[in-house]
Amino acid sequence: MSCLDVAGPYPPTCSGPGRPVPVAPVRLSVAPAIMVRMRTEPDALHTLARTHLPADLAARWTGLLRPAAHLRPAGAADPVVGRLGGLPRLPEGTDWPVWEGHGPLGFVAELDCAALPGGELDIPLPADGRLAFFYYGDEDDDALVDTADPDTWAGARVLHLPPASADAPVRPAPAGLTPYPELPLTVRMAPSAPDFDLPALTAACGEDAFPDAFERAIWDHQSGVAHQIGGHAQAVQGAVEVVVAHGALGGRDVSWEDPRLDEEAGRWVLLAQFDSDEDADMMWGDCGALYWLIRPDDLAAGRFEKAMCTWQCC
């Protein structure tokens, strides 16, 4: 993450997202999944656990690790699985998402499901088509997406576009909206670590189970820009699952001490996170990140309208 050494109370507070600069669009190239699977990262998390924790605690912690598809800028020889920014290819009849009363959403990212190593993840991603993510980030408008306020949820959308739409013409940006620069992405599989505030981690390991040196080592390991599909979210200000659970249970009408939060948080999984990224002129608040979460049964059924977006920043 851009800023992982800050932990704060729910909900996060900071200024709103920044705005972009345009570049010409680039087509996605579908890479065979076997090529993607060969590009894996060394597993440092098990090593860190063995180094800093007693054997029994290390075993419990590593038992909670989840596979994640970590997205990185694609080099010349890398298979391209998606991109940040640019302009989307929307099929005929699909409108550019708009937040009524505010304006069109910014096009954040597009991912080719057939190119992602979905078989290596523990969430039921679609086998084909493209996932397109949109988020309202007008810096001249104080309106922000807030999981505690359903009236703001229209400020974030994820669309599952059919495979044939990859040949659709590029959709021009609506008037007044400046596209983000385009950045092709490749993927590497690697384990992901649970947030130290995740209820499932507390249930398995207890309160305050981890020495400061271990927490600092995990933060150092997760430093840098972090775009990701599946796995544990790399949160900036506490477990995003709890934030989404709070919104799902009623938001502002629900206390952060509500005993239902822990159970509800366990029903949500990370679909995608997109970090602040200078190369794509994306700044979500102060070095923050966007997170889309969804219940696994909604994901398996293709009910992407049920996904919930939250964001955190330093």
Side-chain angles (χ1 to χ4, degrees):
M1 283 293 302
S2 303
C3 301
L4 277 180
D5 56 350
V6 176
Y10 304 104
T13 57
C14 66
S15 58
R19 291 297 296 160
V21 199
V23 297
V26 175
R27 291 292 303 274
L28 292 183
S29 62
V30 178
I34 187 65
M35 293 176 62
V36 176
R37 284 196 285 268
M38 291 172 63
R39 299 186 61 81
T40 57
E41 295 178 343
D43 176 16
L45 294 177
H46 284 82
T47 300
L48 289 174
R50 289 193 297 267
T51 301
H52 292 277
L53 302 177
D56 61 334
L57 183 57
R60 278 178 280 157
W61 185 82
T62 56
L64 293 175
L65 299 181
R66 295 180 54 212
H70 299 272
L71 303 169
R72 301 287 186 264
D78 291 323
V80 174
V81 303
R83 58 191 169 89
L84 297 177
L87 291 168
R89 294 178 180 272
L90 299 177
E92 185 177 353
T94 299
D95 294 331
W96 189 295
V98 171
W99 185 359
E100 294 297 334
H102 296 278
L105 310 190
F107 176 55
V108 175
E110 178 183 283
L111 298 167
D112 188 329
C113 297
L116 291 171
E120 297 185 29
L121 295 171
D122 59 4
I123 60 174
L125 283 182
D128 55 20
R130 293 169 297 129
L131 294 177
F133 297 85
F134 295 81
Y135 186 82
Y136 185 77
D138 188 343
E139 65 180 1
D140 296 324
D141 188 344
D142 292 335
L144 296 173
V145 176
D146 181 356
T147 53
D149 183 359
D151 290 341
T152 71
W153 294 354
R157 291 280 301 280
V158 54
L159 303 178
H160 182 219
L161 305 174
S165 67
D167 295 323
V170 169
R171 182 72 60 87
L177 183 68
T178 305
Y180 294 99
E182 186 162 314
L183 180 67
L185 299 170
T186 191
V187 64
R188 294 183 180 179
M189 289 297 301
S192 61
D195 188 85
F196 287 106
D197 288 334
L198 189 69
L201 180 64
T202 302
C205 301
E207 296 277 358
D208 302 320
F210 301 98
D212 290 344
F214 179 63
E215 294 193 14
R216 286 195 299 270
I218 297 301
W219 291 333
D220 289 343
H221 173 74
Q222 294 177 332
S223 63
V225 177
H227 309 300
Q228 183 178 313
I229 300 298
H232 290 293
Q234 296 186 34
V236 180
Q237 294 200 27
V240 295
E241 294 85 353
V242 176
V243 178
V244 167
H246 180 259
L249 289 173
R252 292 174 180 170
D253 295 329
V254 176
S255 166
W256 288 100
E257 303 302 321
D258 193 307
R260 297 175 298 166
L261 279 175
D262 287 1
E263 183 178 357
E264 181 63 25
R267 297 191 178 108
W268 293 83
V269 294
L270 179 71
L271 175 59
Q273 73 175 47
F274 298 104
D275 207 345
S276 293
D277 193 321
E278 291 183 357
D279 291 337
D281 262 359
M282 292 180 180
M283 179 60 68
W284 312 119
D286 183 4
C287 297
L290 304 178
Y291 308 88
W292 272 269
L293 283 82
I294 193 168
R295 292 185 176 102
D297 57 341
D298 288 328
L299 178 56
R303 294 188 289 263
F304 289 95
E305 72 280 5
K306 299 290 190 180
M308 291 186 67
C309 180
T310 189
W311 66 294
Q312 295 182 348
C313 70
C314 297

